[in-house]
Amino acid sequence: MPASDPIIHLSRVNKWFGSFHVLKDIDLDVARGERIVIAGPSGSGKSTLIRCINRLEEHQEGTIVVDGVTLTDDVKAVEKIRREVGMVFQQFNLFPHLTVVENLMLAPQWVLGLSRAEAEERAAQQLKRVHIGEQALKYPGQLSGGQQQRVAIARAMCMRPRIILFDEPTSALDPEMVKEVLDVMIELAGGGMTMLVVTHEMEFAKAVADRVVFMDEGQIVEQAPPREFFTNARHERSRAFLSKILR
């Protein structure tokens, strides 16, 4: 279970979209280096939850503390968090008019103030890390979906984040491309980085997660180590979800 000094702390977090109550009294602590898979049916609030952690979405009630910084309307605090929290989306969000390496160099230069040479060296290291170093001078449109998602992962890693968030990173991929992206994520998980992953890939959860957090209807219904969650889920909603998603 999480340490007494969590790197992420959420207390009584509530979020509405208009009249729709999407997050309901969320309490969650994440330890440094912990790998969490957030699972649940579509519309359960999973993506909104992780988007609140780096302030892509603003919560209306409760407290979110990330690496000692409380998320409020303070722009400097939000900027600090976004430098330390990487995010990989369902869609790749690469600039089509820039080469792969240029996509990776942008944020380190503009946000971190690295020189072009430093940014290029960091980009090359991360592309090698995700096993597509040879694609550096190509444009995103010349790559497969799996390769583009690996570029997106490398781009996030170029900021050397302390935390990385994945929002269903394989959902836009053809089935044959899913494994190559999951393999890269499994390698990253072995490096000790704090990871929160929204995914329906339960085999990934079994292989990598320290804890599975199951959400339904905007609430955390259950959380447990993978072995316990998959073999002895306590709540009926969890068991119903697993019966549909596990083959």
Side-chain angles (χ1 to χ4, degrees), residues 15-51:
K15 165 75 178 173
W16 287 265
F17 289 125
S19 61
F20 177 52
H21 198 176
V22 62
L23 296 179
K24 304 173 183 176
D25 291 331
I26 298 293
D27 292 325
L28 180 67
D29 283 346
V30 180
R32 297 175 191 275
E34 191 175 18
R35 299 161 301 194
I36 287 183
V37 163
I38 303 174
S42 297
S44 59
K46 309 182 301 295
S47 294
T48 302
L49 174 62
I50 65 168
R51 289 172 69 90

Short mmCIF file of all heavy atoms in Angstrom, two decimals, residues 15-51:
data_model
loop_
_atom_site.label_atom_id
_atom_site.label_comp_id
_atom_site.label_asym_id
_atom_site.label_seq_id
_atom_site.Cartn_x
_atom_site.Cartn_y
_atom_site.Cartn_z
N LYS A 15 -15.73 16.45 -9.20
CA LYS A 15 -15.66 17.13 -10.48
C LYS A 15 -16.99 16.98 -11.19
O LYS A 15 -17.57 15.87 -11.23
CB LYS A 15 -14.53 16.50 -11.32
CG LYS A 15 -14.55 16.84 -12.81
CD LYS A 15 -14.08 18.23 -13.08
CE LYS A 15 -14.06 18.53 -14.57
NZ LYS A 15 -13.77 19.95 -14.83
N TRP A 16 -17.49 18.09 -11.73
CA TRP A 16 -18.72 18.08 -12.51
C TRP A 16 -18.46 18.59 -13.92
O TRP A 16 -17.61 19.48 -14.13
CB TRP A 16 -19.77 18.99 -11.88
CG TRP A 16 -20.40 18.49 -10.62
CD1 TRP A 16 -21.57 17.80 -10.49
CD2 TRP A 16 -19.91 18.67 -9.28
NE1 TRP A 16 -21.84 17.55 -9.16
CE2 TRP A 16 -20.84 18.06 -8.40
CE3 TRP A 16 -18.77 19.28 -8.74
CZ2 TRP A 16 -20.67 18.06 -7.01
CZ3 TRP A 16 -18.59 19.27 -7.37
CH2 TRP A 16 -19.53 18.66 -6.52
N PHE A 17 -19.15 18.02 -14.89
CA PHE A 17 -19.29 18.62 -16.22
C PHE A 17 -20.73 19.09 -16.31
O PHE A 17 -21.64 18.28 -16.55
CB PHE A 17 -18.97 17.62 -17.32
CG PHE A 17 -17.52 17.25 -17.43
CD1 PHE A 17 -17.11 15.93 -17.37
CD2 PHE A 17 -16.54 18.23 -17.62
CE1 PHE A 17 -15.77 15.58 -17.48
CE2 PHE A 17 -15.20 17.89 -17.73
CZ PHE A 17 -14.82 16.58 -17.65
N GLY A 18 -20.96 20.37 -16.09
CA GLY A 18 -22.34 20.85 -16.01
C GLY A 18 -23.03 20.20 -14.83
O GLY A 18 -22.57 20.29 -13.69
N SER A 19 -24.13 19.50 -15.09
CA SER A 19 -24.85 18.83 -14.01
C SER A 19 -24.38 17.38 -13.81
O SER A 19 -24.84 16.71 -12.88
CB SER A 19 -26.36 18.83 -14.31
OG SER A 19 -26.63 18.13 -15.53
N PHE A 20 -23.47 16.92 -14.66
CA PHE A 20 -23.00 15.53 -14.57
C PHE A 20 -21.86 15.44 -13.56
O PHE A 20 -20.81 16.07 -13.73
CB PHE A 20 -22.55 15.04 -15.94
CG PHE A 20 -22.00 13.63 -15.92
CD1 PHE A 20 -22.72 12.59 -15.36
CD2 PHE A 20 -20.75 13.37 -16.47
CE1 PHE A 20 -22.21 11.29 -15.35
CE2 PHE A 20 -20.23 12.08 -16.46
CZ PHE A 20 -20.96 11.04 -15.89
N HIS A 21 -22.07 14.65 -12.53
CA HIS A 21 -21.09 14.48 -11.45
C HIS A 21 -20.13 13.36 -11.84
O HIS A 21 -20.40 12.18 -11.62
CB HIS A 21 -21.84 14.14 -10.16
CG HIS A 21 -21.03 14.36 -8.92
ND1 HIS A 21 -21.55 14.19 -7.65
CD2 HIS A 21 -19.74 14.74 -8.74
CE1 HIS A 21 -20.63 14.45 -6.76
NE2 HIS A 21 -19.51 14.77 -7.39
N VAL A 22 -18.98 13.73 -12.42
CA VAL A 22 -18.10 12.73 -13.03
C VAL A 22 -17.13 12.10 -12.04
O VAL A 22 -16.79 10.93 -12.18
CB VAL A 22 -17.35 13.34 -14.24
CG1 VAL A 22 -16.46 14.49 -13.82
CG2 VAL A 22 -16.55 12.28 -14.99
N LEU A 23 -16.70 12.85 -11.02
CA LEU A 23 -15.85 12.30 -9.96
C LEU A 23 -16.51 12.58 -8.62
O LEU A 23 -16.87 13.73 -8.33
CB LEU A 23 -14.45 12.92 -9.98
CG LEU A 23 -13.58 12.66 -11.21
CD1 LEU A 23 -12.24 13.37 -11.07
CD2 LEU A 23 -13.36 11.16 -11.44
N LYS A 24 -16.64 11.54 -7.80
CA LYS A 24 -17.42 11.65 -6.56
C LYS A 24 -16.56 11.26 -5.36
O LYS A 24 -16.26 10.08 -5.14
CB LYS A 24 -18.65 10.74 -6.63
CG LYS A 24 -19.55 11.00 -7.84
CD LYS A 24 -20.66 9.96 -7.96
CE LYS A 24 -21.50 10.19 -9.20
NZ LYS A 24 -22.53 9.14 -9.38
N ASP A 25 -16.11 12.26 -4.62
CA ASP A 25 -15.39 12.05 -3.35
C ASP A 25 -14.24 11.06 -3.52
O ASP A 25 -14.14 10.06 -2.80
CB ASP A 25 -16.35 11.55 -2.27
CG ASP A 25 -17.32 12.63 -1.84
OD1 ASP A 25 -16.95 13.82 -1.91
OD2 ASP A 25 -18.45 12.30 -1.42
N ILE A 26 -13.35 11.37 -4.45
CA ILE A 26 -12.21 10.49 -4.72
C ILE A 26 -11.12 10.68 -3.67
O ILE A 26 -10.62 11.79 -3.46
CB ILE A 26 -11.63 10.76 -6.13
CG1 ILE A 26 -12.68 10.48 -7.22
CG2 ILE A 26 -10.36 9.94 -6.34
CD1 ILE A 26 -13.05 9.03 -7.36
N ASP A 27 -10.75 9.60 -3.02
CA ASP A 27 -9.59 9.55 -2.12
C ASP A 27 -8.58 8.58 -2.70
O ASP A 27 -8.92 7.41 -2.94
CB ASP A 27 -10.01 9.08 -0.71
CG ASP A 27 -10.88 10.08 0.01
OD1 ASP A 27 -10.67 11.30 -0.16
OD2 ASP A 27 -11.78 9.64 0.76
N LEU A 28 -7.35 9.04 -2.91
CA LEU A 28 -6.34 8.16 -3.48
C LEU A 28 -4.96 8.68 -3.13
O LEU A 28 -4.67 9.87 -3.33
CB LEU A 28 -6.49 8.09 -5.00
CG LEU A 28 -5.49 7.20 -5.75
CD1 LEU A 28 -5.71 5.73 -5.40
CD2 LEU A 28 -5.61 7.43 -7.26
N ASP A 29 -4.10 7.81 -2.62
CA ASP A 29 -2.69 8.11 -2.41
C ASP A 29 -1.86 7.18 -3.28
O ASP A 29 -2.14 5.98 -3.38
CB ASP A 29 -2.29 7.90 -0.95
CG ASP A 29 -2.75 9.05 -0.05
OD1 ASP A 29 -3.14 10.10 -0.59
OD2 ASP A 29 -2.72 8.88 1.18
N VAL A 30 -0.83 7.75 -3.90
CA VAL A 30 0.08 6.98 -4.76
C VAL A 30 1.49 7.15 -4.23
O VAL A 30 1.98 8.28 -4.09
CB VAL A 30 0.00 7.47 -6.22
CG1 VAL A 30 0.95 6.66 -7.09
CG2 VAL A 30 -1.43 7.37 -6.75
N ALA A 31 2.15 6.05 -3.95
CA ALA A 31 3.51 6.10 -3.43
C ALA A 31 4.51 6.39 -4.55
O ALA A 31 4.24 6.13 -5.72
CB ALA A 31 3.85 4.77 -2.75
N ARG A 32 5.64 6.91 -4.18
CA ARG A 32 6.71 7.14 -5.15
C ARG A 32 7.14 5.82 -5.76
O ARG A 32 7.42 4.86 -5.05
CB ARG A 32 7.89 7.84 -4.48
CG ARG A 32 7.56 9.21 -3.95
CD ARG A 32 8.70 9.85 -3.18
NE ARG A 32 8.21 11.05 -2.50
CZ ARG A 32 8.11 12.25 -3.07
NH1 ARG A 32 8.52 12.40 -4.32
NH2 ARG A 32 7.65 13.27 -2.39
N GLY A 33 7.17 5.77 -7.07
CA GLY A 33 7.57 4.56 -7.77
C GLY A 33 6.47 3.53 -7.94
O GLY A 33 6.70 2.48 -8.54
N GLU A 34 5.29 3.82 -7.43
CA GLU A 34 4.20 2.85 -7.53
C GLU A 34 3.62 2.86 -8.94
O GLU A 34 3.54 3.89 -9.61
CB GLU A 34 3.10 3.18 -6.52
CG GLU A 34 2.06 2.07 -6.40
CD GLU A 34 1.04 2.33 -5.30
OE1 GLU A 34 0.92 3.50 -4.86
OE2 GLU A 34 0.36 1.38 -4.90
N ARG A 35 3.20 1.68 -9.38
CA ARG A 35 2.59 1.52 -10.70
C ARG A 35 1.13 1.12 -10.51
O ARG A 35 0.85 0.04 -10.00
CB ARG A 35 3.35 0.47 -11.50
CG ARG A 35 4.81 0.85 -11.72
CD ARG A 35 5.67 -0.33 -12.10
NE ARG A 35 5.65 -1.37 -11.07
CZ ARG A 35 6.51 -2.38 -11.02
NH1 ARG A 35 7.45 -2.50 -11.92
NH2 ARG A 35 6.42 -3.29 -10.07
N ILE A 36 0.24 2.01 -10.93
CA ILE A 36 -1.19 1.80 -10.71
C ILE A 36 -1.90 1.68 -12.04
O ILE A 36 -1.67 2.50 -12.95
CB ILE A 36 -1.79 2.95 -9.88
CG1 ILE A 36 -1.31 2.82 -8.43
CG2 ILE A 36 -3.31 2.96 -9.95
CD1 ILE A 36 -1.90 3.85 -7.51
N VAL A 37 -2.74 0.69 -12.18
CA VAL A 37 -3.65 0.58 -13.32
C VAL A 37 -5.04 0.98 -12.84
O VAL A 37 -5.53 0.47 -11.83
CB VAL A 37 -3.65 -0.84 -13.90
CG1 VAL A 37 -4.88 -1.05 -14.79
CG2 VAL A 37 -2.38 -1.08 -14.71
N ILE A 38 -5.64 1.91 -13.57
CA ILE A 38 -7.00 2.35 -13.27
C ILE A 38 -7.92 1.70 -14.29
O ILE A 38 -7.80 1.93 -15.49
CB ILE A 38 -7.12 3.88 -13.31
CG1 ILE A 38 -6.11 4.51 -12.33
CG2 ILE A 38 -8.54 4.31 -12.96
CD1 ILE A 38 -6.05 6.01 -12.40
N ALA A 39 -8.82 0.88 -13.81
CA ALA A 39 -9.71 0.10 -14.68
C ALA A 39 -11.15 0.46 -14.37
O ALA A 39 -11.47 1.03 -13.33
CB ALA A 39 -9.47 -1.40 -14.47
N GLY A 40 -12.02 0.08 -15.31
CA GLY A 40 -13.45 0.29 -15.10
C GLY A 40 -14.15 0.48 -16.43
O GLY A 40 -13.51 0.67 -17.47
N PRO A 41 -15.47 0.45 -16.42
CA PRO A 41 -16.22 0.60 -17.67
C PRO A 41 -16.09 2.01 -18.23
O PRO A 41 -15.70 2.95 -17.54
CB PRO A 41 -17.66 0.31 -17.23
CG PRO A 41 -17.69 0.59 -15.77
CD PRO A 41 -16.34 0.24 -15.24
N SER A 42 -16.41 2.15 -19.51
CA SER A 42 -16.40 3.47 -20.15
C SER A 42 -17.35 4.41 -19.42
O SER A 42 -18.43 4.01 -18.98
CB SER A 42 -16.82 3.35 -21.62
OG SER A 42 -15.91 2.55 -22.34
N GLY A 43 -16.90 5.66 -19.27
CA GLY A 43 -17.73 6.64 -18.59
C GLY A 43 -17.65 6.62 -17.09
O GLY A 43 -18.41 7.31 -16.41
N SER A 44 -16.70 5.86 -16.53
CA SER A 44 -16.61 5.74 -15.07
C SER A 44 -15.78 6.84 -14.43
O SER A 44 -15.69 6.91 -13.20
CB SER A 44 -16.04 4.37 -14.70
OG SER A 44 -14.76 4.17 -15.26
N GLY A 45 -15.14 7.70 -15.24
CA GLY A 45 -14.36 8.80 -14.70
C GLY A 45 -12.87 8.58 -14.67
O GLY A 45 -12.12 9.41 -14.15
N LYS A 46 -12.39 7.49 -15.27
CA LYS A 46 -10.96 7.14 -15.21
C LYS A 46 -10.08 8.22 -15.85
O LYS A 46 -9.12 8.69 -15.25
CB LYS A 46 -10.71 5.79 -15.91
CG LYS A 46 -11.60 4.66 -15.46
CD LYS A 46 -11.27 3.37 -16.16
CE LYS A 46 -11.39 3.40 -17.67
NZ LYS A 46 -12.80 3.61 -18.14
N SER A 47 -10.41 8.57 -17.10
CA SER A 47 -9.59 9.55 -17.81
C SER A 47 -9.67 10.92 -17.16
O SER A 47 -8.66 11.63 -17.06
CB SER A 47 -10.02 9.63 -19.28
OG SER A 47 -9.75 8.42 -19.95
N THR A 48 -10.85 11.29 -16.70
CA THR A 48 -11.00 12.57 -16.01
C THR A 48 -10.13 12.62 -14.77
O THR A 48 -9.51 13.65 -14.46
CB THR A 48 -12.47 12.82 -15.65
OG1 THR A 48 -13.26 12.79 -16.83
CG2 THR A 48 -12.64 14.16 -14.96
N LEU A 49 -10.06 11.52 -14.05
CA LEU A 49 -9.25 11.46 -12.84
C LEU A 49 -7.79 11.79 -13.13
O LEU A 49 -7.19 12.65 -12.48
CB LEU A 49 -9.37 10.08 -12.19
CG LEU A 49 -8.45 9.83 -10.98
CD1 LEU A 49 -8.77 10.81 -9.86
CD2 LEU A 49 -8.58 8.39 -10.50
N ILE A 50 -7.20 11.12 -14.12
CA ILE A 50 -5.78 11.38 -14.35
C ILE A 50 -5.56 12.75 -15.00
O ILE A 50 -4.52 13.37 -14.80
CB ILE A 50 -5.09 10.26 -15.16
CG1 ILE A 50 -5.63 10.14 -16.57
CG2 ILE A 50 -5.18 8.93 -14.42
CD1 ILE A 50 -4.76 9.25 -17.45
N ARG A 51 -6.55 13.25 -15.74
CA ARG A 51 -6.42 14.58 -16.33
C ARG A 51 -6.48 15.66 -15.25
O ARG A 51 -5.92 16.74 -15.42
CB ARG A 51 -7.50 14.81 -17.39
CG ARG A 51 -7.29 13.99 -18.65
CD ARG A 51 -8.46 14.10 -19.60
NE ARG A 51 -8.56 15.43 -20.17
CZ ARG A 51 -7.97 15.81 -21.30
NH1 ARG A 51 -7.21 14.96 -21.98
NH2 ARG A 51 -8.13 17.03 -21.75
#
